[in-house]
Amino acid sequence: APKIVSASKRHPIVPLPAGQAYKYGTAGFRMKADLLEGVTFRVGLIAALRSRKLNSQAIGVMITASHNPAIDNGVKVVDPMGEMLEQDWEAYATLLVNAPTDDALLETYNKLATQLKIDLSTPAKVIYGRDTRPSGHKLVGALADALDATNTEAVDYKILTTPQLHYLTRCTNTEGTPSSYGKVSEVGYYEKMAEAFVRALKGRKIDGPLTVDCANGVGGPKLREFLKYVPKDKVKFDVKVVNDDVLRPEVLNLDCGADFVKTKQRAPPSPKPVIGARCCSLDGDADRLIYYWVDEKTGFFMLDGDRISSLAASFIADLVRAAGLEEDLRIGVVQTAYANGASTSYITQHLRLPVVCTPTGVKHLHHAACNFDVGVYFEANGHGTVLFSAEAIRTFGAKEPQSPAQKDALDTLAAVADLINQTVGDAISDMLLVEVILAHKSWTMRDWAVTYTDLPNRLVRVEVADKDLFRTTDAERRLSHPPGAQDEIDQCVKKYSSARAFARASGTENACRVYAEAATRVEADELANKVAQIVK
Ligand code: 16G
Ligand code: ZN
């Protein structure tokens, strides 16, 4: 215990202005990197407690601020199967991080241990990684000190994508068991994905080159590394890796990356877009993916998380039918309020699959997707994955095929389940899935784009005095507070055709967000501005 206090003194917490507190939000703790050293030390203490609470299973800690500016950083905790930290523990993390002094910290730590019936002599294990931000190095030092001070076994995986850390956490905890998720190493991740990629393609050709914008983040070097594991004699996969400069930290996420493309609704200015070329962008920690291309006649066209979701759902539903499993497996799609209404209609009416809406944040979508045998979940921003139940995976291997076509479908389903990162949305894995699906369907970008037409939409950020006044219900689609605000929004929406709008407090910034969609561009813009006025 004295070790915790002396170590904490080396990583002091920065006091916030009166009335403010650190909060474990949807992205863990995320802020300017210079505020994070003490926070990261304390997150180390929480991770160690969590490991001890869960019978010494390994807990993951990832240091990244994803698509945010290079000067930001963040720290979040990964649960044993690679999921997001359990919600109750977000509150414990918040409590511990806000302890005002080193002694108060120790007191809170001991109180938590007693309250949660944690035996502090139980062994603990924490594995961690970081993105390419220079500040990550110092934060890892603080984390390591916390693990050392609590006698916690630590494994430093150095620089990783966020989904790689999730993968490694699950592999560590399933190693040597029947549910082993793969080899416990970065190489194991590449090998597993490359093998599944080849198997899922089964000789089908990928059409032309793919340009991948890596946001000048960790995805660049990791994608290059992955490509070495794709056997050239089996698959011709012509990838042009661009925006992969990780040596100049200031260019991270700057005018490139998935968040840029999604929010600006245009291609990164560099490299100069090539007409007709298939392109995609990853974000700064490679857990988001957006596809796009520039059409000769119609210009820039974006295929976001909703598009990837409906593409994956349609492909998997077809395979499940072809495998004769439609009576056995329940397939569902999970979206948030940000999903374009046209995508929701396409999935429910055309694909005839159920759609569930949850609040923003991966943990909510992931949780809802677990209720299906095959749960496809994506946020419009490009974060998502497909979850297969253990029973579904068993069935793909165990079902006796009645025809060569059934066998082909079963094999492809098994390969796809291995290809998709089951722990969290993974841009590299999702990209390989999209490439596999386009190859199977022999689709061009245009074929994919014409499946449905997006409703014009607008997202605006509204500065408000106190965002906490805005409380939502119905998966963030309606405001319950402040009183009367929702009625005003309803009155506005009524005046437009095919319109929908909502307002919610951001979980990552001190602002509100307003989303509106309507039949035309002009109407969507107008509606978004009117709702923003109501919120202001
Ligand atoms: C976080 C979430 C992301 C969500 C975003 C919304 C995770 C891992 N990340 O980045 O899924 O879309 O927050 O931010 O859950 P907002 O609340 O500021 O709109
Ligand atoms: Zn990210």
Side-chain angles (χ1 to χ4, degrees), residues 26-27 30 67 76 84 287-288 338 360-363 379 381 383 504-509 513:
T26 25
R30 190 176 291 183
H67 58 283
K76 64 180 168 194
M84 301 292 166
D287 64 354
R288 290 194 197 178
Y338 288 110
T360 303
V362 174
K363 63 181 176 220
E379 289 192 278
N381 64 25
H383 184 109
R504 58 176 279 276
S506 159
T508 63
E509 288 172 44
R513 298 199 202 284

Side-chain angles (χ1 to χ4, degrees), residues 22-29 46 50 77 84-97 363-364:
Y22 293 101
K23 186 167 184 280
Y24 195 105
T26 25
F29 296 100
I46 271 292
R50 181 104 181 115
V77 180
M84 301 292 166
L85 176 65
E86 187 186 287
Q87 211 143 340
D88 290 348
W89 279 69
E90 294 184 0
Y92 307 147
T94 298
L95 192 71
L96 198 66
V97 166
K363 63 181 176 220
H364 298 117

Side-chain angles (χ1 to χ4, degrees), residues 330 332-336 353-358 365 368-369 371-372 477:
R330 244 184 108 237
V333 177
V334 184
Q335 301 185 316
T336 71
L353 295 173
V355 172
V356 174
C357 184
T358 74
L365 289 109
N371 295 328
F372 295 100
R477 288 174 291 193

Side-chain angles (χ1 to χ4, degrees), residues 31 64 116 120 189 246 307 312 315 322 391 409 439 466 494 510:
M31 59 202 79
T64 176
L116 299 168
L120 291 175
Y189 169 91
V246 293
R307 295 278 181 175
F315 180 64
E391 179 55 20
D466 181 4
K494 266 206 316 224
N510 193 22

Side-chain angles (χ1 to χ4, degrees), residues 1-12 37-38 41 45 102 105 141-142 144-150:
K3 240 179 139 182
I4 292 179
V5 172
S6 61
S8 172
K9 283 192 203 307
R10 277 179 276 134
H11 308 289
E37 190 184 333
F41 176 83
L45 300 182
D102 300 320
L105 174 67
D145 272 0
L147 301 179
D148 180 59
T150 52

